[in-house]
Amino acid sequence: MSSEAERKMQFLYSLRSKGVNDNRILSVMEKIDRSDFVRGIFRDRAYEDMPLPIACGQTISQPSIVGMMTQALDLHPRHTVLEVGTGSGYQAAVLSHLARRVWTIDRHKRLSMDARRLLEGMNLTNVTVITGDGSFGLPDQAPFDRILVTAAAEDPPGPLLAQLREGGIMVVPVGQSDTVQSLIKVTRLAEGFDYEQLRPVRFVPLVEGLAQD
Ligand code: SAH
């Protein structure tokens, strides 16, 4: 077996061993080449289960966390999804194969431009990348069936809760940026919100306003 095929097998094995057992998600993550979303020396490490640096001082998440968050969203092919924190675009690429429509927003123009170019080059035509402050969501496109926040908020942002459809699910890391945060699954019920704590995680912070670089 080629070392490339071995690396991919190892990658899938590590996802499974960390609780990503949905075969649809595993086959999408097998198909998408994570090395397309990182640069330079880090490309060699794309199949390791670790976060890696990207531009603007941000990170592409650890693959098992991407898999686990995607699994927690319980996606259906007809869903419309909002992702806050495009970063490299990797998570958006995974979502695009599992949902009907994906909106993804980042406060760094450089990251959103790079991600847009990459996703367009992969013909993922159901993803729209937007530069903006995602903590306010995208009121024009709301409500969303699913919302995924890939940066840590002190609390689930109110505008995002308001843009979640009834029966919808939002997955968001909650807590201070320099500590271990808690990944929370919020379900919008007819009479309010249900909160479930999933696991400890570590994400870069959700920062207000557009970035200057
Ligand atoms: N999902 C990404 C990783 C996200 S890293 C991937 O698959 O690669 C977190 C991202 O959240 C960073 O790119 C950061 O710029 C972005 N971010 C932080 N605060 C934000 C905000 N208020 N609005 C939009 N994006 C934000």
Side-chain angles (χ1 to χ4, degrees), residues 54 58-61 83-92 105-108 111 132-135 150-151 204-209:
I54 55 172
Q58 306 301 312
T59 51
I60 177 172
S61 310
E83 179 196 23
V84 176
T86 311
S88 67
Y90 177 68
Q91 171 77 71
I105 179 164
D106 206 288
R107 61 188 289 278
H108 284 277
L111 290 175
D133 182 351
S135 44
T150 64
V204 296
L206 190 74
V207 178
E208 271 184 30

Side-chain angles (χ1 to χ4, degrees), residues 38-65:
V38 286
R39 295 274 165 89
I41 53 164
F42 298 111
R43 291 180 69 104
D44 276 352
R45 314 197 74 168
Y47 284 108
E48 290 175 33
D49 192 26
M50 52 163 64
L52 294 170
I54 55 172
C56 306
Q58 306 301 312
T59 51
I60 177 172
S61 310
Q62 191 176 338
S64 59
I65 298 289

Side-chain angles (χ1 to χ4, degrees), residues 30-167:
E30 180 177 10
K31 200 155 53 185
I32 299 171
D33 192 346
R34 188 170 179 253
S35 72
D36 288 340
F37 295 85
V38 286
R39 295 274 165 89
I41 53 164
F42 298 111
R43 291 180 69 104
D44 276 352
R45 314 197 74 168
Y47 284 108
E48 290 175 33
D49 192 26
M50 52 163 64
L52 294 170
I54 55 172
C56 306
Q58 306 301 312
T59 51
I60 177 172
S61 310
Q62 191 176 338
S64 59
I65 298 289
V66 170
M68 203 266 302
M69 287 172 101
T70 307
Q71 200 161 277
L73 284 177
D74 194 14
L75 285 167
H76 186 281
R78 75 177 132 70
H79 282 159
T80 295
V81 184
L82 171 66
E83 179 196 23
V84 176
T86 311
S88 67
Y90 177 68
Q91 171 77 71
V94 172
L95 296 172
S96 79
H97 287 276
L98 299 162
R100 183 173 61 82
R101 192 83 177 77
V102 178
W103 301 87
T104 181
I105 179 164
D106 206 288
R107 61 188 289 278
H108 284 277
K109 187 167 183 204
R110 175 165 166 212
L111 290 175
S112 49
M113 281 172 50
D114 286 353
R116 185 180 301 124
R117 194 171 331 112
L118 208 51
L119 297 166
E120 279 175 6
M122 295 173 178
N123 265 324
L124 298 176
T125 52
N126 63 339
V127 187
T128 305
V129 183
I130 289 169
T131 307
D133 182 351
S135 44
F136 296 101
L138 281 179
D140 290 352
Q141 309 301 334
F144 298 97
D145 299 298
R146 300 292 186 258
I147 299 178
L148 179 58
V149 186
T150 64
E154 301 219 347
D155 291 298
L160 297 184
L161 290 171
Q163 290 171 35
L164 195 57
R165 190 189 297 284
E166 192 179 315

